[in-house]
Amino acid sequence: MIKMLNEMIKGLHLPALLEFADGSPVRNAEDWQKRRKEILDLLCREEYGRRPSDPPNVSAFVRETNENAYAGKVLEQDIMLSAEAEGTIFSFPLKVFLPKDTVDPMTIVYIAFRSDYPDRYLPVEEITDEGFALAVFCYNDIAADREDDFTGGLAGILKKGKERAGEDTGKLMMWAWAASRVVDYLETGKDVDLRNIAVMGHSRLGKTALIAAAYDERFAFSFPNDSGCSGDAITRGKEGERVEQITSRFPYWFCPNYRKYSGQEEQMPFDQHFLVAAIAPRCVCAGTAEEDTWADPNKQYLSYVAADEVYKLFGKKGFLHPDRLPEAGDIFQEGTVGFHLRSGKHFHSRYDWQRYMEFMKKHRN
């Protein structure tokens, strides 16, 4: 029995997952689908901003193909994707890496910090050697990660020259929307296993990976690495970064409504376990680091503990873990919800990649 952790969660006075906005109980999986819509609408309204509409289709132009990449083991494609956003065609580059010796590979949609691959966070050859395909785009090609008054890229299309207010879309949601357009493209071909597509990112892009999977059920797996504040860490009682710090430094990541909770986290009608739970009953596996106190590994861990009740509603194994806070070296992968805590600092390491690939192989659909 998980008594100690449940007492810790009880002491945080979190908003209830299994209770509708009108106070009535969520009793079963069918009820949860209605509750999930409430939660997704709430997170749009109060944290991440409105999600842009899904386009009717995407088009792709293959700019370059290398059939003998990585010692001849990988087919590498440089693609330009185009999709409609608010009546305007928006285009961005995508790199696809397909292992040639694997039929119907599981695929990881990776939201990258840089456009040169491989890089320090993305060991392409190691990943494809494990039999995984990669579909990679750089977040700055979607909307610049800076305070640019929403003038360029997808941000410029969505803002349409007016001042941002209320639930206007933040850039985290824009980056997540782009990840869904990659799935649109993957669905047009026969190169990968469409039942086993993951979305992954690190830090702010770990937050994005959670948002992408919460709003798009085609992602069978979400792998948020070191996502922390406004990602997978419970905000109430959190150490390190909180709403005040993150909205002061990065207000453009969120809708303007979110800033009103600066110093008022206990007044939020949600917390980050809502975002994690919105992925249920699909798989989510998080990684974090012992010295990443800004993210607060304990509050990250408690978010998955709190979300577990939704997985149980579906009869899933959910989050299987001991009744204690995590310790460096912990790897919990037996349930639908996974978690690992490594030693070291804020980073997306080879160790993290190995854990996520292990988890995906173990829980393949």
Side-chain angles (χ1 to χ4, degrees):
M1 182 176 179
I2 308 299
K3 185 176 180 181
M4 185 191 83
L5 292 179
N6 284 342
E7 286 299 315
M8 293 180 69
I9 289 172
K10 185 177 178 181
L12 293 172
H13 305 291
L14 298 176
L17 278 170
L18 298 182
E19 186 177 288
F20 287 104
D22 65 5
S24 59
V26 175
R27 295 186 174 90
N28 51 46
E30 183 178 354
D31 279 354
W32 171 252
Q33 295 303 337
K34 299 172 186 175
R35 173 60 173 152
R36 176 175 174 267
K37 185 180 186 307
E38 279 191 349
I39 285 172
L40 294 178
D41 289 346
L42 175 64
L43 293 176
C44 281
R45 193 166 60 246
E46 299 295 327
E47 187 169 13
Y48 303 117
R50 285 189 301 270
R51 181 172 171 83
S53 301
D54 291 333
N57 52 60
V58 297
S59 61
F61 172 66
V62 180
R63 301 189 294 186
E64 186 176 355
T65 298
N66 181 355
E67 297 184 359
N68 291 291
Y70 298 95
K73 298 177 293 183
V74 175
L75 172 67
E76 177 180 339
Q77 294 180 312
D78 181 358
I79 297 164
M80 183 63 73
L81 282 190
S82 298
E84 183 179 312
E86 303 299 322
T88 300
I89 298 299
F90 173 71
S91 301
F92 65 95
L94 173 72
K95 274 286 188 76
V96 175
F97 302 89
L98 296 168
K100 293 165 72 172
D101 291 337
T102 304
V103 177
D104 291 332
M106 295 187 288
T107 302
I108 298 171
V109 175
Y110 188 68
I111 310 164
F113 279 100
R114 289 165 290 277
S115 56
D116 294 328
Y117 319 122
D119 74 355
R120 61 183 181 179
Y121 289 157
L122 184 61
V124 172
E125 188 173 9
E126 294 176 44
I127 297 161
T128 52
D129 280 351
E130 290 290 332
F132 289 87
L134 279 166
V136 187
F137 68 92
C138 176
Y139 76 140
N140 273 313
D141 288 330
I142 310 305
D145 186 14
R146 64 178 185 273
E147 187 57 272
D148 62 353
D149 197 30
F150 286 67
T151 53
L154 182 60
I157 292 172
L158 297 179
K159 186 183 178 187
K160 296 183 177 178
K162 63 182 179 61
E163 289 301 313
R164 293 183 73 233
E167 57 190 79
D168 283 348
T169 312
K171 292 187 178 181
L172 291 173
M173 182 64 84
M174 295 181 196
W175 302 330
W177 179 88
S180 289
R181 308 291 67 82
V182 175
V183 181
D184 291 343
Y185 168 71
L186 294 174
E187 288 183 329
T188 66
K190 298 179 180 179
D191 298 319
V192 303
D193 181 356
L194 297 175
R195 299 170 304 164
N196 289 281
I197 298 177
V199 58
M200 185 190 299
H202 167 65
S203 193
R204 64 202 64 183
L205 303 181
K207 308 180 207 303
T208 305
L210 283 169
I211 298 166
Y215 286 86
D216 190 338
E217 294 179 273
R218 296 174 298 175
F219 288 113
F221 298 85
S222 180
F223 298 128
N225 195 71
D226 293 356
S227 68
C229 181
S230 307
D232 65 359
I234 294 291
T235 311
R236 288 163 168 83
K238 187 182 180 301
E239 296 181 5
E241 190 174 34
R242 292 169 64 91
V243 175
E244 180 178 2
Q245 288 85 9
I246 202 167
T247 57
S248 294
R249 294 183 63 197
F250 307 109
Y252 51 90
W253 288 357
F254 308 98
C255 68
N257 277 343
Y258 190 44
R259 198 162 191 170
K260 69 188 177 187
Y261 298 113
S262 174
Q264 303 291 326
E265 288 89 351
E266 286 69 25
Q267 304 304 314
M268 297 191 309
F270 61 92
D271 213 311
Q272 294 309 122
H273 64 311
F274 276 33
L275 181 63
V276 172
I279 297 171
R282 292 164 292 133
C283 291
V284 57
C285 181
T288 189
E290 184 180 29
E291 297 179 53
D292 193 1
T293 55
W294 195 238
D296 192 349
N298 288 339
K299 291 303 187 299
Q300 290 176 274
Y301 185 74
L302 288 177
S303 190
Y304 296 95
V305 176
D308 182 59
E309 61 181 343
V310 178
Y311 284 84
K312 294 293 194 294
L313 200 67
F314 283 87
K316 297 287 186 178
K317 289 183 179 179
F319 192 20
L320 302 180
H321 57 86
D323 190 21
R324 59 168 173 80
L325 292 172
E327 300 171 356
D330 278 343
I331 303 170
F332 304 127
Q333 292 194 345
E334 296 308 310
T336 320
V337 177
F339 187 93
H340 70 262
L341 175 64
R342 60 166 171 78
S343 60
K345 299 181 182 294
H346 189 79
F347 191 74
H348 198 179
S349 71
R350 267 57 174 174
Y351 179 90
D352 298 313
W353 273 100
Q354 290 162 2
R355 301 292 79 74
Y356 298 132
M357 289 189 291
E358 286 172 359
F359 182 90
M360 201 166 175
K361 289 177 180 179
K362 186 174 293 187
H363 297 281
R364 183 171 190 164
N365 294 300

